[in-house]
Amino acid sequence: MTLIANSAKAFDSLALTVGNGMNDTLIQSGDISTAHIIGVDGFIESEFPKAIRFLKVDQTFINIHAASAQSRKDTEAYDQLELAAISALWRWRGETAFADAGIGLAYLSEQRFEEVKMGSKANFVLDFALGVQWSANLDISLRYRHYSNGYTESPNPGLDFLVLQTAFHF
């Protein structure tokens, strides 16, 4: 328990994410809509990405996340995928609502997940969210996360996930 408490002090907030894979409606080409994903995120408030002043950003974070996705192909077999990423995240705040946009680097444990074959295990991650500050210590957001290699390798179909995130602030 002490280890968890000491690790948490390094982060400004920790979050739990749960969600599903998506079909090919947005960026991804291929269907992983039967996939479920669960993960944790750590947010460290940072000043360095605020250098892009014309965006009029209210807060900036370094976001570290890890997740596990699983998808049943049939009654006996399933696909498993582990993801880890670090990204810069920009936040715009309203009175209680907020919007996030982020970009970073990700690593996937497998190059194939369901019918999607990625060109590499090293990828980029895009993160977009709309959320609500529920209380001083809690916010809830709906996030769209896209993982792809940005055409640095072939193929580049990408993986899309829609996740609900609950963040606890320290």
Side-chain angles (χ1 to χ4, degrees), residues 37-161:
I37 190 166
I38 186 166
V40 293
D41 284 61
F43 296 90
I44 303 166
E45 194 159 2
S46 173
E47 290 293 321
F48 80 87
K50 280 192 175 179
I52 306 170
R53 297 285 181 211
F54 70 90
L55 294 176
K56 300 191 188 297
V57 173
D58 296 310
Q59 281 180 291
T60 55
F61 298 92
I62 295 171
N63 178 17
I64 300 168
H65 77 263
S68 179
Q70 189 175 70
S71 180
R72 268 209 189 281
K73 291 174 133 179
D74 55 42
T75 56
E76 297 187 23
Y78 65 89
D79 278 353
Q80 183 81 28
L81 177 68
E82 315 314 323
L83 306 105
I86 184 167
S87 58
L89 189 77
W90 295 269
R91 178 165 289 173
W92 294 267
R93 290 193 161 282
E95 218 157 293
T96 57
F98 63 88
D100 289 349
I103 187 167
L105 301 174
Y107 181 80
L108 283 59
S109 64
E110 304 294 329
Q111 282 183 246
R112 177 179 288 284
F113 186 65
E114 279 288 317
E115 64 181 49
V116 177
K117 176 153 179 11
M118 305 290 279
S120 64
K121 290 183 178 182
N123 285 273
F124 298 101
V125 60
L126 298 175
D127 188 353
F128 301 98
L130 293 175
V132 175
Q133 186 75 39
W134 196 264
S135 69
N137 296 341
L138 177 72
D139 68 50
I140 298 171
S141 61
L142 185 61
R143 297 184 169 277
Y144 164 70
R145 286 193 169 148
H146 173 77
Y147 301 87
S148 74
N149 61 47
Y151 297 102
T152 59
E153 299 285 337
S154 184
N156 184 44
L159 294 171
D160 292 344
F161 292 95

